[in-house]
Amino acid sequence: MIVMKFGGTSVESAAAMNRVADIVIARAVSGAVVVVSAMGKTTNRLLHMAGVAVGGARETSLALAEELRQMHLEETPESVHEAIGSHFDELVELLKSLSVLGEFTPRTVDLISSYGERLSSLAFAAVLRQRGVPAVHIDAREMIVTDSRHTLAAPNFAETNARLDAVVRPLAEAGVVVMGGFIAATAEGVTSTLGRGGSDYTAAIVGAGVGASEIQIWTDVDGMLTADPRVIPGGHRILVCSFAEASELAYFGAKVLHPATVLPAIEQDIPVRILNSRNPASSGTLIVSDAPPSSNVAKSIACKRQVTVVNVTSGRMFLAYGFLRKIFEIFDRFETPVDMVSTSEVSVSLTIDNAARLDQIVEALGEFSSVSVEQNQAIVCIVGENIRHTPGVAARAFGAVADINIRMISQGASRLNLGFVVAEADLTPSIQALHREFFSEVDPATFGD
């Protein structure tokens, strides 16, 4: 049994859904669970119309909902039009309530956001049935149980796995189960979500829960590449990499994979494959526990834009303990994750990619230290298992970018990555120089076209 996840562009229209149906029919020979994202930009449209309603423009928000209703009716099988209509009737009532209340809470954000996947999964199950596939639709909110941290909920794996094993696995062994990604519910049945991009995570959770032989993430690119294609078009496709490498690449900006995706797969040792729904003949990228040896030092160069560097200095903390604890307690208090850290006795530099609560963080840090902030920065990260075994990697990397001002340097404890920070304006030349240095020649067993 396999789990197949398809993103929003893969199911954005009737034509796209039929292309995906071709793929499912060709590959789901021993049963499958198909996880789908919302059609196209549906989630963005839902959140926009909700914001319009909260702002008091009720009629405008209802008009936007009607446009989205018509799009779904035009692109989906007639057999589910009644169910789709019911979903939109609920959505309209919710928008009316929002226009009166004028408040958009995280719990309501989750409820509004859930409609996209609820609709797309209903529709795709109907497409498969039209094609003669014994497909069953299951609302993911009945299977994925989470805590109540709305907009970024954490799964309760014990309860989730029990439900998946009891309900989804037997149905998938007999045919195809279709579920919406990203959406879940608390133990009390309140709609929650796993965070934007969480459909990948859903696929991994389901794969682990049903004991899948492989988890397939179908996107609109041929797999993971040696660099962001927006920076270096025509980079090399990674044929195979390790879970550890994929995790680092995903966390530091590789857009084809959600950072949390590989965690349930690692625990169950389930291979993950990144594939292209518009080019199903490609073998994509295979992610496994232990990748075969490669003659290349690096697997890829990841990058993360719109990064903020926070520099914290306090002479009072010289030879004192507790400095780092005090700093990170503040980031914890304001729920702001830290990406990279570089430390000395009395100063710490760190990066964040969410500056929503930066002013509060700076004010709190200022109670015991001097704080400076550098915005419009970017992280560049060289990732590869061989970095830990190969001398001179840092010398090669910094030699390649010798003409660029490096703002901060960090090598992870995993020793799988070498990361540094540059001004965002220097991101493209940095990656281009590093790509020439590390990928001018590639191991054909590790990289493809």
Side-chain angles (χ1 to χ4, degrees):
M1 183 197 311
I2 60 175
V3 172
M4 311 171 75
K5 176 264 176 178
F6 294 92
T9 57
S10 296
V11 293
E12 64 186 356
S13 65
M17 286 191 188
N18 273 293
R19 283 195 299 269
V20 169
D22 291 337
I23 294 170
V24 173
I25 290 168
R27 294 183 176 241
V29 291
S30 58
V33 181
V34 176
V35 175
V36 294
S37 297
M39 295 174 65
K41 300 295 183 181
T42 293
T43 303
N44 289 340
R45 294 173 69 175
L46 286 165
L47 292 174
H48 174 64
M49 68 180 68
V52 170
V54 169
R58 167 179 155 156
E59 296 308 315
T60 301
S61 71
L62 297 183
L64 293 171
E66 184 59 29
E67 289 178 10
L68 192 60
R69 182 201 298 257
Q70 292 306 314
M71 184 275 281
H72 278 78
L73 293 176
E74 290 169 6
E75 301 293 344
T76 59
E78 188 174 349
S79 59
V80 291
H81 283 186
E82 183 176 350
I84 287 174
S86 296
H87 278 73
F88 274 98
D89 290 344
E90 292 175 9
L91 175 61
V92 165
E93 293 306 312
L94 180 55
L95 291 173
K96 290 177 180 177
S97 298
L98 288 175
S99 68
V100 173
L101 296 172
E103 185 180 9
F104 202 16
T105 65
R107 176 169 170 165
T108 308
V109 169
D110 277 353
L111 182 56
I112 288 284
S113 302
S114 73
Y115 281 94
E117 276 73 12
R118 289 155 64 183
L119 293 163
S120 63
S121 55
L122 269 172
F124 187 65
V127 169
L128 288 176
R129 289 193 293 269
Q130 276 189 341
R131 301 284 297 274
V133 177
V136 177
H137 172 257
I138 293 181
D139 190 331
R141 297 175 300 168
E142 298 174 0
M143 297 294 113
I144 312 296
V145 184
T146 71
D147 61 16
S148 56
R149 187 181 168 194
H150 289 286
T151 73
L152 193 62
N156 176 332
F157 283 103
E159 180 61 29
T160 296
N161 289 341
R163 296 187 186 191
L164 290 168
D165 183 64
V167 179
V168 175
R169 184 179 55 79
L171 291 172
E173 288 174 345
V176 175
V177 172
V178 180
M179 300 171 59
F182 164 68
I183 60 175
T186 67
E188 295 73 31
V190 178
T191 298
S192 59
T193 65
L194 302 174
R196 297 299 296 271
S199 291
D200 288 359
Y201 196 16
T202 300
I205 292 168
V206 172
V210 302
S213 59
E214 184 171 283
I215 298 166
Q216 300 177 353
I217 308 296
W218 289 83
T219 67
D220 54 3
V221 295
D222 284 344
M224 303 184 84
L225 304 175
T226 50
D228 187 332
R230 295 169 298 181
V231 178
I232 300 181
H236 306 286
R237 175 168 58 94
I238 303 169
L239 301 180
V240 60
C241 69
S242 70
F243 282 132
E245 290 169 328
S247 296
E248 294 284 343
L249 290 170
Y251 187 77
F252 284 105
K255 299 299 184 184
V256 297
L257 192 66
H258 187 273
T261 295
V262 293
L263 297 180
I266 290 171
E267 293 177 359
Q268 300 296 324
D269 197 19
I270 302 172
V272 176
R273 194 181 294 274
I274 312 298
L275 296 158
N276 187 353
S277 63
R278 297 182 185 275
N279 182 23
S282 172
S283 61
T285 296
L286 180 63
I287 305 169
V288 293
S289 295
D290 297 305
S294 174
S295 61
N296 283 81
V297 171
K299 284 288 174 69
S300 184
I301 303 166
C303 63
K304 184 177 283 191
R305 303 168 190 265
Q306 297 181 337
V307 167
T308 299
V309 177
V310 181
N311 303 300
V312 187
T313 304
S314 179
R316 288 177 291 171
M317 298 306 295
F318 183 66
L319 297 180
Y321 60 86
F323 187 34
L324 286 175
R325 175 182 56 79
K326 292 179 71 174
I327 291 172
F328 286 103
E329 280 179 348
I330 289 170
F331 284 89
D332 178 59
R333 186 195 315 164
F334 294 108
E335 299 181 333
T336 301
V338 172
D339 290 331
M340 287 174 48
V341 182
S342 182
T343 70
S344 68
E345 184 67 41
V346 296
S347 66
V348 177
S349 294
L350 45 82
T351 67
I352 59 175
D353 63 4
N354 179 2
R357 306 185 75 176
L358 180 60
D359 290 344
Q360 295 166 284
I361 291 169
V362 170
E363 181 180 358
L365 290 170
E367 294 177 4
F368 61 88
S369 62
S370 173
V371 185
S372 64
V373 172
E374 300 175 71
Q375 296 182 308
N376 300 316
Q377 305 296 298
I379 292 175
V380 179
C381 191
I382 306 166
V383 175
E385 294 270 9
N386 285 348
I387 290 176
R388 73 176 82 193
H389 307 299
T390 308
V393 175
R396 290 178 61 186
F398 294 118
V401 295
D403 296 332
I404 294 171
N405 184 23
I406 306 299
R407 309 299 180 95
M408 176 180 162
I409 300 170
S410 176
Q411 182 161 10
S414 67
R415 295 184 294 163
L416 291 178
N417 74 72
L418 175 64
F420 56 90
V421 176
V422 299
E424 194 158 335
D426 292 327
L427 178 62
T428 295
S430 296
I431 295 178
Q432 289 173 338
L434 290 168
H435 202 270
R436 287 192 298 269
E437 175 65 31
F438 289 100
F439 298 107
S440 57
E441 295 183 5
V442 294
D443 185 341
T446 308
F447 301 96
D449 297 330

PDB file of all heavy atoms in Angstrom, residues 382 387 390-400 411 418 438:
ATOM      1  N   ILE A 382      24.667  24.900   2.982  1.00  0.00           N
ATOM      2  CA  ILE A 382      25.173  23.777   2.195  1.00  0.00           C
ATOM      3  C   ILE A 382      24.898  22.508   2.985  1.00  0.00           C
ATOM      4  O   ILE A 382      25.293  22.396   4.148  1.00  0.00           O
ATOM      5  CB  ILE A 382      26.688  23.916   1.947  1.00  0.00           C
ATOM      6  CG1 ILE A 382      27.010  25.270   1.328  1.00  0.00           C
ATOM      7  CG2 ILE A 382      27.197  22.794   1.053  1.00  0.00           C
ATOM      8  CD1 ILE A 382      28.479  25.609   1.357  1.00  0.00           C
ATOM      9  N   ILE A 387      29.704  16.213   4.416  1.00  0.00           N
ATOM     10  CA  ILE A 387      30.340  17.377   5.040  1.00  0.00           C
ATOM     11  C   ILE A 387      31.045  16.980   6.334  1.00  0.00           C
ATOM     12  O   ILE A 387      32.135  17.459   6.643  1.00  0.00           O
ATOM     13  CB  ILE A 387      29.297  18.485   5.289  1.00  0.00           C
ATOM     14  CG1 ILE A 387      28.847  19.101   3.956  1.00  0.00           C
ATOM     15  CG2 ILE A 387      29.848  19.568   6.215  1.00  0.00           C
ATOM     16  CD1 ILE A 387      27.748  20.126   4.082  1.00  0.00           C
ATOM     17  N   THR A 390      34.521  15.239   5.449  1.00  0.00           N
ATOM     18  CA  THR A 390      35.425  15.820   4.456  1.00  0.00           C
ATOM     19  C   THR A 390      36.116  17.070   5.001  1.00  0.00           C
ATOM     20  O   THR A 390      35.445  18.052   5.328  1.00  0.00           O
ATOM     21  CB  THR A 390      34.649  16.180   3.173  1.00  0.00           C
ATOM     22  OG1 THR A 390      33.908  15.029   2.742  1.00  0.00           O
ATOM     23  CG2 THR A 390      35.600  16.620   2.073  1.00  0.00           C
ATOM     24  N   PRO A 391      37.435  17.072   5.077  1.00  0.00           N
ATOM     25  CA  PRO A 391      38.142  18.282   5.519  1.00  0.00           C
ATOM     26  C   PRO A 391      38.139  19.347   4.433  1.00  0.00           C
ATOM     27  O   PRO A 391      38.067  19.036   3.232  1.00  0.00           O
ATOM     28  CB  PRO A 391      39.562  17.774   5.798  1.00  0.00           C
ATOM     29  CG  PRO A 391      39.718  16.579   4.918  1.00  0.00           C
ATOM     30  CD  PRO A 391      38.354  15.939   4.842  1.00  0.00           C
ATOM     31  N   GLY A 392      38.178  20.586   4.850  1.00  0.00           N
ATOM     32  CA  GLY A 392      38.323  21.687   3.897  1.00  0.00           C
ATOM     33  C   GLY A 392      37.051  22.195   3.261  1.00  0.00           C
ATOM     34  O   GLY A 392      37.099  23.042   2.369  1.00  0.00           O
ATOM     35  N   VAL A 393      35.892  21.708   3.720  1.00  0.00           N
ATOM     36  CA  VAL A 393      34.631  22.156   3.115  1.00  0.00           C
ATOM     37  C   VAL A 393      34.414  23.647   3.364  1.00  0.00           C
ATOM     38  O   VAL A 393      34.026  24.406   2.462  1.00  0.00           O
ATOM     39  CB  VAL A 393      33.440  21.341   3.650  1.00  0.00           C
ATOM     40  CG1 VAL A 393      32.121  21.893   3.106  1.00  0.00           C
ATOM     41  CG2 VAL A 393      33.585  19.882   3.273  1.00  0.00           C
ATOM     42  N   ALA A 394      34.664  24.086   4.601  1.00  0.00           N
ATOM     43  CA  ALA A 394      34.469  25.501   4.919  1.00  0.00           C
ATOM     44  C   ALA A 394      35.398  26.375   4.092  1.00  0.00           C
ATOM     45  O   ALA A 394      35.002  27.446   3.604  1.00  0.00           O
ATOM     46  CB  ALA A 394      34.699  25.740   6.411  1.00  0.00           C
ATOM     47  N   ALA A 395      36.645  25.925   3.919  1.00  0.00           N
ATOM     48  CA  ALA A 395      37.597  26.708   3.122  1.00  0.00           C
ATOM     49  C   ALA A 395      37.115  26.844   1.688  1.00  0.00           C
ATOM     50  O   ALA A 395      37.191  27.934   1.088  1.00  0.00           O
ATOM     51  CB  ALA A 395      38.977  26.043   3.160  1.00  0.00           C
ATOM     52  N   ARG A 396      36.588  25.764   1.114  1.00  0.00           N
ATOM     53  CA  ARG A 396      36.052  25.833  -0.250  1.00  0.00           C
ATOM     54  C   ARG A 396      34.849  26.767  -0.323  1.00  0.00           C
ATOM     55  O   ARG A 396      34.725  27.573  -1.251  1.00  0.00           O
ATOM     56  CB  ARG A 396      35.653  24.432  -0.727  1.00  0.00           C
ATOM     57  CG  ARG A 396      36.796  23.487  -0.983  1.00  0.00           C
ATOM     58  CD  ARG A 396      36.284  22.116  -1.409  1.00  0.00           C
ATOM     59  NE  ARG A 396      35.515  22.193  -2.647  1.00  0.00           N
ATOM     60  CZ  ARG A 396      34.852  21.150  -3.173  1.00  0.00           C
ATOM     61  NH1 ARG A 396      34.852  19.982  -2.535  1.00  0.00           N
ATOM     62  NH2 ARG A 396      34.186  21.294  -4.294  1.00  0.00           N
ATOM     63  N   ALA A 397      33.951  26.649   0.660  1.00  0.00           N
ATOM     64  CA  ALA A 397      32.731  27.455   0.638  1.00  0.00           C
ATOM     65  C   ALA A 397      33.046  28.940   0.748  1.00  0.00           C
ATOM     66  O   ALA A 397      32.576  29.754  -0.063  1.00  0.00           O
ATOM     67  CB  ALA A 397      31.799  27.023   1.761  1.00  0.00           C
ATOM     68  N   PHE A 398      33.844  29.293   1.739  1.00  0.00           N
ATOM     69  CA  PHE A 398      34.111  30.717   1.947  1.00  0.00           C
ATOM     70  C   PHE A 398      35.085  31.276   0.921  1.00  0.00           C
ATOM     71  O   PHE A 398      35.069  32.470   0.636  1.00  0.00           O
ATOM     72  CB  PHE A 398      34.579  30.955   3.379  1.00  0.00           C
ATOM     73  CG  PHE A 398      33.510  30.659   4.383  1.00  0.00           C
ATOM     74  CD1 PHE A 398      33.685  29.664   5.338  1.00  0.00           C
ATOM     75  CD2 PHE A 398      32.305  31.342   4.351  1.00  0.00           C
ATOM     76  CE1 PHE A 398      32.676  29.372   6.250  1.00  0.00           C
ATOM     77  CE2 PHE A 398      31.289  31.059   5.250  1.00  0.00           C
ATOM     78  CZ  PHE A 398      31.478  30.067   6.203  1.00  0.00           C
ATOM     79  N   GLY A 399      35.885  30.404   0.323  1.00  0.00           N
ATOM     80  CA  GLY A 399      36.705  30.849  -0.805  1.00  0.00           C
ATOM     81  C   GLY A 399      35.846  31.208  -2.001  1.00  0.00           C
ATOM     82  O   GLY A 399      36.120  32.175  -2.721  1.00  0.00           O
ATOM     83  N   ALA A 400      34.756  30.441  -2.205  1.00  0.00           N
ATOM     84  CA  ALA A 400      33.862  30.697  -3.345  1.00  0.00           C
ATOM     85  C   ALA A 400      33.126  32.015  -3.195  1.00  0.00           C
ATOM     86  O   ALA A 400      32.802  32.673  -4.190  1.00  0.00           O
ATOM     87  CB  ALA A 400      32.854  29.552  -3.488  1.00  0.00           C
ATOM     88  N   GLN A 411      27.674  26.212  12.003  1.00  0.00           N
ATOM     89  CA  GLN A 411      27.692  24.825  11.540  1.00  0.00           C
ATOM     90  C   GLN A 411      26.903  24.002  12.526  1.00  0.00           C
ATOM     91  O   GLN A 411      27.207  24.007  13.728  1.00  0.00           O
ATOM     92  CB  GLN A 411      29.106  24.264  11.402  1.00  0.00           C
ATOM     93  CG  GLN A 411      29.093  22.828  10.871  1.00  0.00           C
ATOM     94  CD  GLN A 411      30.416  22.387  10.282  1.00  0.00           C
ATOM     95  OE1 GLN A 411      31.416  23.059  10.421  1.00  0.00           O
ATOM     96  NE2 GLN A 411      30.410  21.246   9.609  1.00  0.00           N
ATOM     97  N   LEU A 418      26.500  23.446   6.599  1.00  0.00           N
ATOM     98  CA  LEU A 418      27.327  24.616   6.867  1.00  0.00           C
ATOM     99  C   LEU A 418      26.514  25.812   6.418  1.00  0.00           C
ATOM    100  O   LEU A 418      26.220  25.959   5.226  1.00  0.00           O
ATOM    101  CB  LEU A 418      28.648  24.528   6.105  1.00  0.00           C
ATOM    102  CG  LEU A 418      29.566  25.750   6.193  1.00  0.00           C
ATOM    103  CD1 LEU A 418      30.025  25.968   7.624  1.00  0.00           C
ATOM    104  CD2 LEU A 418      30.763  25.594   5.269  1.00  0.00           C
ATOM    105  N   PHE A 438      30.727  23.450  -5.888  1.00  0.00           N
ATOM    106  CA  PHE A 438      30.410  22.106  -5.403  1.00  0.00           C
ATOM    107  C   PHE A 438      29.709  21.203  -6.418  1.00  0.00           C
ATOM    108  O   PHE A 438      29.638  19.990  -6.210  1.00  0.00           O
ATOM    109  CB  PHE A 438      29.550  22.208  -4.138  1.00  0.00           C
ATOM    110  CG  PHE A 438      30.296  22.703  -2.938  1.00  0.00           C
ATOM    111  CD1 PHE A 438      30.200  24.028  -2.541  1.00  0.00           C
ATOM    112  CD2 PHE A 438      31.120  21.852  -2.218  1.00  0.00           C
ATOM    113  CE1 PHE A 438      30.892  24.492  -1.429  1.00  0.00           C
ATOM    114  CE2 PHE A 438      31.820  22.300  -1.106  1.00  0.00           C
ATOM    115  CZ  PHE A 438      31.718  23.620  -0.716  1.00  0.00           C
TER     116      PHE A 438
END
